[in-house]
Amino acid sequence: MFATNMDSARDVVGVPSTVLIPMRFVWPYGGRSVFFSGSFVRWSELIPMTPVEGCPTVFQAVYSVTPGYHQYKFFVDGEWRHDEHQPYVSGEYGLVNILLATDPNLFHPNVTSEMTSGPNYMEEDTEAFKRLVRITDGSLTDVVLRISEADLQSSRDCISVFLSTHTTYELLPESGKVVALDVDLPVKQAFHILHEQGIPLAPLWDFSNGHFVGVLSALDFILILRELGNHGSNLTEEELETHTIAAWKEGKAYLNGQIDEHGRGVPRQLVHAGPYDNMKDVVLKILQNGVATVPIIHSSSEDGLFPQLLHLASLSGILKCVCRYFRHSSSSLPILQAPICALNVGTWVPEIGETNRRPLAMLRPSASLSAALNLLVQAQVSSIPIVDDNNSLLDIYCRSDITALAKDRAYAHINLNEMTIQQALQLGQDSFSPFEPRGQRCQMCLRSDSLHKVMERLANPGVRRLVIVEAGSKRVEGIVSLSDVFKFLLG
């Protein structure tokens, strides 16, 4: 945008040009996505800004510039804007703000009144500005920190190499417990245990053959409740009192068409791994089989008898290892610096007129619990954002919330078609497990957040997905989960 001699900025009173001065850029007028650019980056990239905590309409970013005079401009919701309350000049291609970086203690963009009075104080490099305008006339996905295919592939290769050369043994905690359930336990008792322990699932142990044979999860409870609500069901509440996990798993397999030559239901094989399997194999097992965890099992005997259940490997634990390993070298992976809106990651609300994108499942708090459970199963999702009439985020309903109905046999006293999601969430709050703080459930991020920032937050215990919201209004724009991140990282 500027002539060559202005791109590098002028030295100021004995301050070497190699000095970088941190400047705080502020856009106080709101927006869905806010970026800025300027002569200090030769107008070659857009720098994301984030809302100030407690002031969602005020966006800020700190960026270090060389001493001298600079021009800059904001890119708000796809349009170029300037701040008329900060010094600015007029040029051939509109108004641009200007700043003078002099004193290292200077933090706010500032400039004297004399600087704004000269119309030719800075000459704009029209070709540079034309290039940026041409780019920003298109979709924001094509604008922000454009990542070349080579950079994308090299970043993925680095992460793939890390996952392939590190084993699940590194995931094992120094201490902890893993809850396993015997397949001969009644289903009712099993779900009481899940609720009391504050866990969404547990591996299953078959004493008769001395092996771990499967996993019981919150999804099983959802399917059972839907079966109980089906008037044509063969399963009654009385039978649920004595119905064993093994019987349920066999019946579930029969309904899914997993039948042996004798016409009996055959539950699918347990997806598991050993302590010396590499992390990439475990990630692929989770993604390809649509499971939440992979039990890490070790047996010292060749026949696999007397197996030890060491850990439940999850995408969260593996992502934590990835973030820890690349924490001090994230700048070497270009894709980690890009905002998630510029990457094909997560599920987003379709734009008006867009028909080729999968819709994002959302519900109002007045919707029935039955509708929520049906949507969880049919859409094959683990959570549903709960929104108001403006699609602003109120809460989130997850599969694991269903275990709250196990307390005091609440499931036996409710009608799924009559109980609302709001009532179900309140029930969950009243009996919420101390193992997972309520605040961990409804985690949010912005479309301008970098992939690295999103990964760091998803790596926190208890955080399984982030709802992408508009700054200020909290209008839901999408959702990004652990599996979304790994599908993107592994290509």
Side-chain angles (χ1 to χ4, degrees):
M1 185 169 177
F2 299 98
T4 304
N5 64 328
M6 297 307 301
D7 280 333
S8 58
R10 299 175 182 174
D11 290 350
V12 179
V13 196
V15 180
S17 61
T18 54
V19 172
L20 291 178
I21 303 173
M23 309 294 289
R24 183 163 69 96
F25 295 84
V26 179
W27 175 261
Y29 310 112
R32 295 173 56 189
S33 59
V34 182
F35 303 82
F36 72 100
S37 188
S39 58
F40 35 83
V41 291
R42 298 176 182 268
W43 301 94
S44 62
E45 64 178 290
L46 293 173
I47 302 164
M49 306 181 75
T50 56
V52 175
E53 186 173 355
C55 301
T57 61
V58 179
F59 288 74
Q60 70 172 357
V62 175
Y63 196 86
S64 296
V65 303
T66 55
Y69 301 107
H70 298 280
Q71 292 184 343
Y72 64 98
K73 203 162 185 174
F74 299 95
F75 191 65
V76 183
D77 297 339
E79 295 184 5
W80 284 104
R81 307 274 298 276
H82 78 285
D83 184 354
E84 61 184 18
H85 293 99
Q86 294 290 338
Y88 61 90
V89 294
S90 177
E92 183 180 353
Y93 289 92
L95 301 172
V96 293
N97 290 112
I98 57 176
L99 65 86
L100 170 62
T102 54
D103 186 347
N105 294 320
L106 183 66
F107 205 59
H108 295 273
N110 193 15
V111 71
T112 63
S113 58
E114 290 84 355
M115 296 175 191
T116 64
S117 59
N120 297 318
Y121 185 76
M122 291 187 190
E123 294 183 359
E124 296 179 322
D125 180 346
T126 57
E127 285 306 311
F129 189 71
K130 283 180 180 178
R131 272 199 308 274
L132 195 57
V133 169
R134 277 199 301 270
I135 293 173
T136 54
D137 277 343
S139 166
L140 188 61
T141 303
D142 299 325
V143 175
V144 187
L145 296 174
R146 299 182 68 176
I147 303 296
S148 68
E149 283 298 322
D151 285 340
L152 177 62
Q153 194 56 50
S154 66
S155 298
R156 284 173 167 168
D157 288 344
C158 287
I159 293 174
S160 180
V161 168
F162 168 79
L163 293 174
S164 299
T165 54
H166 290 74
T167 67
T168 59
Y169 186 83
E170 299 173 50
L171 301 174
L172 304 186
E174 293 184 3
S175 62
K177 69 175 182 179
V178 181
V179 177
L181 303 174
D182 193 289
V183 292
D184 291 327
L185 272 177
V187 170
K188 172 196 166 186
Q189 185 178 348
F191 285 114
H192 273 292
I193 294 172
L194 291 184
H195 173 68
E196 290 167 359
Q197 294 296 321
I199 54 178
L201 53 82
L204 300 176
W205 171 257
D206 189 340
F207 182 79
S208 62
N209 61 26
H211 286 288
F212 290 98
V213 294
V215 171
L216 187 74
S217 70
L219 179 59
D220 287 298
F221 197 19
I222 290 174
L223 295 174
I224 288 174
L225 289 182
R226 292 176 76 224
E227 188 71 11
L228 285 173
N230 180 4
H231 296 296
S233 171
N234 293 321
L235 181 63
T236 64
E237 291 179 14
E238 292 74 18
E239 289 175 326
L240 187 60
E241 300 289 325
T242 57
H243 205 64
T244 65
I245 298 173
W248 159 249
K249 287 292 186 180
E250 183 176 336
K252 178 183 173 184
Y254 183 85
L255 292 174
N256 291 337
Q258 300 167 322
I259 306 172
D260 63 12
E261 63 274 13
H262 303 294
R264 293 176 299 189
V266 181
R268 72 176 184 176
Q269 294 292 315
L270 172 67
V271 179
H272 67 280
Y276 303 111
D277 291 351
N278 68 65
M279 292 186 190
K280 183 175 181 180
D281 285 346
V282 174
V283 170
L284 293 176
K285 285 182 178 181
I286 291 175
L287 297 180
Q288 292 169 359
N289 292 279
V291 295
T293 63
V294 169
I296 306 301
I297 299 173
H298 175 66
S299 177
S300 55
S301 63
E302 294 183 1
D303 54 9
L305 294 177
F306 309 108
Q308 292 179 293
L309 178 61
L310 304 178
H311 184 59
L312 296 180
S314 66
L315 294 181
S316 176
I318 296 174
L319 187 62
K320 186 175 183 179
C321 288
V322 172
C323 291
R324 184 168 58 238
Y325 184 82
F326 291 104
R327 181 162 295 157
H328 302 296
S329 59
S330 60
S331 59
S332 63
L333 301 178
I335 60 173
L336 298 188
Q337 307 308 312
I340 55 173
C341 64
L343 304 171
N344 186 24
V345 57
T347 302
W348 294 75
V349 174
E351 299 291 343
I352 297 176
E354 188 176 19
T355 59
N356 60 344
R357 179 177 285 178
R358 176 186 176 186
L360 179 65
M362 294 188 288
L363 288 173
R364 303 283 188 266
S366 58
S368 69
L369 181 56
S370 176
L373 300 186
N374 289 339
L375 192 55
L376 287 170
V377 174
Q378 293 166 6
Q380 297 181 332
V381 294
S382 62
S383 61
I384 303 170
I386 308 303
V387 298
D388 63 15
D389 292 338
N390 297 317
N391 285 344
S392 295
L393 185 66
L394 299 174
D395 209 321
I396 193 164
Y397 193 83
C398 311
R399 284 180 187 171
S400 55
D401 287 330
I402 199 68
T403 58
L405 298 182
K407 185 180 180 182
D408 301 327
R409 296 179 67 249
Y411 61 83
H413 310 296
I414 65 169
N415 185 313
L416 297 181
N417 293 314
E418 295 178 357
M419 173 173 269
T420 67
I421 296 175
Q422 185 174 14
Q423 292 171 331
L425 287 169
Q426 184 60 49
L427 180 66
Q429 288 176 342
D430 294 340
S431 61
F432 207 70
S433 166
F435 295 93
E436 184 182 5
R438 184 83 182 173
Q440 290 282 60
R441 296 168 28 83
C442 200
Q443 294 285 321
M444 296 172 283
C445 69
L446 301 174
R447 60 166 47 227
S448 57
D449 287 342
S450 68
L451 178 61
H452 183 250
K453 182 177 181 179
V454 167
M455 288 168 58
E456 288 277 3
R457 294 185 65 184
L458 284 171
N460 290 325
V463 180
R464 299 180 178 90
R465 84 282 301 166
L466 299 177
V467 182
I468 308 165
V469 299
E470 178 185 66
S473 70
K474 291 188 7 182
R475 185 175 65 85
V476 174
E477 297 186 320
I479 192 166
V480 57
S481 67
L482 286 161
S483 58
D484 290 329
V485 168
F486 275 100
K487 286 175 183 176
F488 173 76
L489 293 178
L490 296 180

